[in-house]
Amino acid sequence: MEKSVEKTVALLRKSYAGRLTAEEQAEVDRLLSDKDMQQLYTTIGDDEYLIQEFRRYSSWLPMSGYQAFRKKKRQQKIQRFTARLSVAASLLIALGCIWLLVEQEKPEKPIDIAETRVEPGSFRAFLQLSSGERIALEDTHPLDLCETEGTIQIDSGKAVYSAHQLSPAETETYHILSVPRGGEYRLLLTDGTAVHLNAESELRYPVAFTTTERKVFLKGEAWFEVAKDVDRPFYVETEDVRIRVYGTSFNVNTHRFHTTETVLVSGEIGIAKAESTEEWRMHPGQLASYDRNSGEISLQKVDVRKYTAWQDGEFCFNDDTLEEILEELGRWYDVTVFFQSPGHKEIQFSCHLKRYEDIRKILGAITESTGILFEINNRTVIVK
Amino acid sequence: MNESRILIAVNEKKEEIWEDVFGYYYAALCSYARRLVHDPVIAEDLVQDILLYVWNSERKFIRLEELTNYLYRATYNRSMMWLRHEKCKSRHLARLSEESNPEFDEMFVETVREELLRQMYLYIDALPEQQRKVIRMSVEGLSVNEIAEKLGISVDTVKTHKKRSFKQLRGKFKEDVNIFWLAFFLS
């Protein structure tokens, strides 16, 4: 039977008043068969006990409780306010602060409403065949292609290559996969290597690899999961660096303003400058930055998530400047960015955002923590 | 009337009548928390936090009893949280209060006790003036003789008032509470 405080209290008070019906009396008798309840009934019936309890009650004055409550309420407000202030302050001195925005609700109206929706990128790319023919790969159309060396199945944002002959090809036929701004695309090469290309990136690769080596050429940003093959080393070449791979996963990005960045997640790779044979061996968790100004490569330990988040559908910025952040957003949403006050470019900022959100939501999140306003006009984002 | 006033204060977060919520529940909840944490100051602090939580929450109550039950349970939960936290802080205390913490259901008799006391304490203000004064002075610790002297009435009258008042407090029902007096007290 369910115990109800409310009913029991009413019943007991009726009992003290001596106004119980026979039925209720039976109910009270049943209640009082419990030892604790019996003890309670007796103590409440004792005037001196009540005086004692009430004396204690009178030491907790509602008035003073209410005042303490109001004080706590004020402090709570002040805490919230100062939290906001300190965020603003740290941004002002360009230190950047962590702001987890992934789960943040939609901000009220930080951005001027424009009629055009700016959608995030989607799976789209152009594939240039050996003949020079250029095919648009859209998400919706499955497609089978055939070259002398192998076949290519194109379906749901992915191009899968399989070699015809069991013996590797003598000569190499190249394909170029170009991902425009606002796109991304995935590739599975004949050797089993998986490549995920980010927006505004291009990869040139043979339809089938030869016996001696595997070599691809990258512009932009890509994530590689290279199939292990000790006899045929895998090379990723960019304008600046050449990466020798021994079966591993890593991210290469030539989009950064002054550097080409390579981050190794697992396995082992060696990195060299484009025109050099001197090689730096990289270990998992390391970032190799090639500085285009000095022409030097430097290695450092980093949190790899920042560099690989994009292919898990997230943006992860960590003390990056607003200019760099918007540059990357621009590539993904295919918008051009214009800074009204160039001073804003250097503001550093950290955030963690979902890549498949509407750009408005992402910019709203930045507005929320930096106070910087954005205006979206067709495909241009104006930083006010 | 007054009960709906309390509900309005809680449901609509009416600042100007929020103090009434304290008049209605504060002492009883403090007393309830004290039975669990064995410290009147801590108890008071916990109850203030609970009422601040209620103030910030969106929860709405249809019946006053629902709110009352909710507050007892919240007080119980908050007190248990505090106890667990303290036990973590000090192994010594853990050994001192080796007895396991009761479940809320096991607190039933204690909850009934507190609610009885709360209602009775609240209704002191609904008593006729002289009876009320006698009860107040008794609670303040004055002896029957002192009260008789202060009020200029006989010792026997004080005794009678006292006895009758407590009997009335125990037995009063919600429906026969003098609404006028309560309204006067709460306004």
Side-chain angles (χ1 to χ4, degrees):
Chain A
M1 196 194 116
E2 205 200 331
K3 292 173 176 174
S4 156
V5 172
E6 179 195 347
K7 280 186 191 140
T8 310
V9 166
L11 203 60
L12 292 182
R13 297 192 71 198
K14 222 171 170 184
S15 170
Y16 286 122
R19 278 187 261 174
L20 291 172
T21 63
E23 211 173 303
E24 287 167 337
Q25 182 63 56
E27 180 72 25
V28 169
D29 289 346
R30 209 186 47 75
L31 270 173
L32 296 184
S33 65
D34 179 77
K35 192 167 62 60
D36 292 338
M37 197 56 93
Q38 172 66 53
Q39 192 264 348
L40 164 75
Y41 193 79
T42 317
T43 48
I44 295 287
D46 176 6
D47 291 354
E48 289 311 308
Y49 171 78
L50 290 181
I51 287 175
Q52 247 181 56
E53 287 287 3
F54 289 166
R55 188 169 299 152
R56 237 200 303 263
Y57 268 46
S58 64
S59 70
W60 289 298
L61 288 174
M63 182 65 111
S64 64
Y66 178 63
Q67 262 148 20
F69 161 87
R70 286 184 48 171
K71 203 171 150 195
K72 283 185 181 185
K73 197 158 68 105
R74 267 201 308 277
Q75 280 168 349
Q76 193 183 39
K77 263 194 199 152
I78 289 166
Q79 270 169 14
R80 282 182 189 164
F81 182 66
T82 47
R84 253 179 225 165
L85 260 189
S86 65
V87 166
S90 64
L91 282 162
L92 273 177
I93 52 173
L95 276 175
C97 68
I98 308 253
W99 202 249
L100 292 169
L101 292 158
V102 178
E103 300 301 334
Q104 189 120 338
E105 286 156 53
K106 215 165 200 154
E108 285 121 284
K109 260 195 213 161
I111 307 160
D112 297 356
I113 304 298
E115 314 97 89
T116 40
R117 257 178 77 81
V118 181
E119 303 277 1
S122 56
F123 288 113
R124 54 205 179 98
F126 296 96
L127 182 64
Q128 189 179 320
L129 307 177
S130 54
S131 60
E133 191 190 346
R134 212 159 175 253
I135 305 167
L137 309 180
E138 294 291 346
D139 202 0
T140 43
H141 299 293
L143 195 63
D144 280 336
L145 296 170
C146 204
E147 290 271 1
T148 36
E149 295 89 349
T151 55
I152 307 107
Q153 282 179 297
I154 291 153
D155 192 11
S156 44
K158 202 170 180 182
V160 178
Y161 283 73
S162 29
H164 268 326
Q165 300 141 328
L166 289 170
S167 57
E170 302 280 303
T171 54
E172 288 181 330
T173 309
Y174 281 88
H175 277 186
I176 300 171
L177 188 75
S178 324
V179 179
R181 290 169 76 88
E184 64 179 324
Y185 219 81
R186 291 168 301 175
L187 265 179
L188 190 65
L189 300 173
T190 47
D191 66 329
T193 294
V195 186
H196 189 164
L197 276 162
N198 206 349
E200 205 178 11
S201 303
E202 190 179 289
L203 191 76
R204 196 163 85 90
Y205 51 93
V207 174
F209 292 110
T210 58
T211 39
T212 49
E213 60 176 29
R214 299 172 289 168
K215 198 184 266 182
V216 298
F217 304 89
L218 173 75
K219 277 184 203 159
E221 181 169 22
W223 163 258
F224 290 91
E225 282 172 37
V226 175
K228 205 162 186 156
D229 186 344
V230 276
D231 299 327
R232 291 188 297 169
F234 194 102
Y235 293 97
V236 177
E237 293 196 354
T238 77
E239 228 168 86
D240 307 313
V241 295
R242 190 182 70 242
I243 301 151
R244 186 188 157 99
V245 188
Y246 305 90
T248 192
S249 52
F250 60 102
N251 194 71
V252 184
N253 186 2
T254 68
H255 278 315
R256 308 293 286 184
F257 287 160
H258 310 295
T259 55
T260 289
E261 294 181 338
T262 306
V263 167
L264 179 62
V265 173
S266 67
E268 196 181 2
I269 58 180
I271 187 164
K273 290 180 214 167
E275 307 300 329
S276 156
T277 50
E278 193 189 356
E279 192 180 86
W280 280 264
R281 278 288 176 118
M282 283 179 70
H283 301 290
Q286 273 188 333
L287 162 75
S289 324
Y290 170 85
D291 188 318
R292 274 174 224 131
N293 297 328
S294 66
E296 292 302 321
I297 287 179
S298 59
L299 292 179
Q300 68 186 103
K301 200 140 181 67
V302 292
D303 181 354
V304 296
R305 278 174 304 176
K306 167 173 156 47
Y307 301 88
T308 60
W310 70 270
Q311 55 113 23
D312 294 323
E314 282 172 5
F315 287 115
C316 188
F317 299 115
N318 204 350
D319 284 346
D320 292 299
T321 65
L322 201 57
E323 188 179 20
E324 286 174 310
I325 292 171
L326 289 177
E327 176 79 19
E328 176 148 4
L329 291 179
R331 268 194 294 279
W332 180 239
Y333 289 96
D334 191 16
V335 290
T336 346
V337 179
F338 175 73
F339 281 85
Q340 250 173 18
S341 40
H344 286 345
K345 287 184 181 177
E346 296 308 314
I347 288 175
Q348 285 183 339
F349 183 60
S350 299
C351 57
H352 204 233
L353 304 159
K354 287 198 169 136
R355 238 162 93 90
Y356 297 99
E357 301 270 27
D358 188 282
I359 195 169
R360 231 170 286 276
K361 195 157 178 181
I362 304 237
L363 294 178
I366 298 178
T367 302
E368 182 113 321
S369 35
T370 60
I372 293 169
L373 292 170
F374 301 92
E375 187 184 313
I376 303 173
N377 209 334
N378 285 324
R379 302 216 76 91
T380 307
V381 172
I382 298 158
V383 187
K384 296 200 153 176
Chain B
M1 279 300 121
N2 306 291
E3 302 205 334
S4 62
R5 198 179 154 88
I6 297 294
L7 281 177
I8 289 166
V10 171
N11 289 342
E12 294 171 29
K13 311 293 184 269
K14 284 261 164 50
E15 180 98 55
E16 49 310 346
I17 48 175
W18 186 257
E19 196 181 342
D20 293 354
V21 179
F22 277 79
Y24 232 67
Y25 291 111
Y26 190 65
L29 294 179
C30 286
S31 164
Y32 193 63
R34 191 199 62 89
R35 292 182 208 279
L36 293 161
V37 301
H38 306 289
D39 182 324
V41 180
I42 301 290
E44 207 165 359
D45 197 48
L46 294 175
V47 172
Q48 287 158 11
D49 286 347
I50 289 158
L51 289 165
L52 186 65
Y53 178 81
V54 172
W55 175 267
N56 288 326
S57 101
E58 292 293 312
R59 196 177 166 133
K60 303 266 186 283
F61 300 89
I62 298 159
R63 294 168 58 242
L64 194 72
E65 287 74 20
E66 199 187 320
L67 171 67
T68 308
N69 275 327
Y70 175 83
L71 288 173
Y72 280 124
R73 187 177 275 276
T75 306
Y76 165 82
N77 288 340
R78 185 72 59 134
S79 303
M80 286 301 142
M81 233 162 70
W82 184 86
L83 280 176
R84 273 194 287 274
H85 184 71
E86 283 305 295
K87 276 188 185 176
C88 284
K89 274 205 320 209
S90 132
R91 286 275 165 80
H92 177 64
L93 194 86
R95 229 177 298 124
L96 277 181
S97 56
E98 197 77 303
E99 80 260 34
S100 58
N101 296 329
E103 294 291 319
F104 185 65
D105 285 348
E106 297 171 48
M107 289 290 292
F108 182 70
V109 175
E110 288 310 301
T111 313
V112 168
R113 179 196 304 275
E114 212 65 72
E115 182 57 11
L116 271 170
L117 290 171
R118 186 185 76 83
Q119 290 185 9
M120 292 161 71
Y121 187 67
L122 201 58
Y123 295 152
I124 292 176
D125 292 279
L127 290 170
E129 192 188 351
Q130 202 157 52
Q131 278 176 253
R132 193 171 71 243
K133 280 184 179 162
V134 169
I135 298 296
R136 282 273 162 76
M137 286 175 179
S138 304
V139 170
E140 277 166 30
L142 271 67
S143 71
V144 177
N145 290 331
E146 284 167 322
I147 298 169
E149 200 176 310
K150 275 210 163 181
L151 293 178
I153 49 175
S154 75
V155 172
D156 278 343
T157 313
V158 172
K159 281 182 181 166
T160 316
H161 275 333
K162 218 171 134 177
K163 217 170 164 58
R164 189 191 293 156
S165 302
F166 277 118
K167 196 165 161 34
Q168 277 178 319
L169 288 178
R170 278 187 204 99
K172 259 206 183 351
F173 301 147
K174 264 193 298 187
E175 50 271 29
D176 47 48
V177 163
N178 187 325
I179 299 290
F180 170 74
W181 280 108
L182 258 187
F184 176 76
F185 158 65
L186 288 169
S187 58

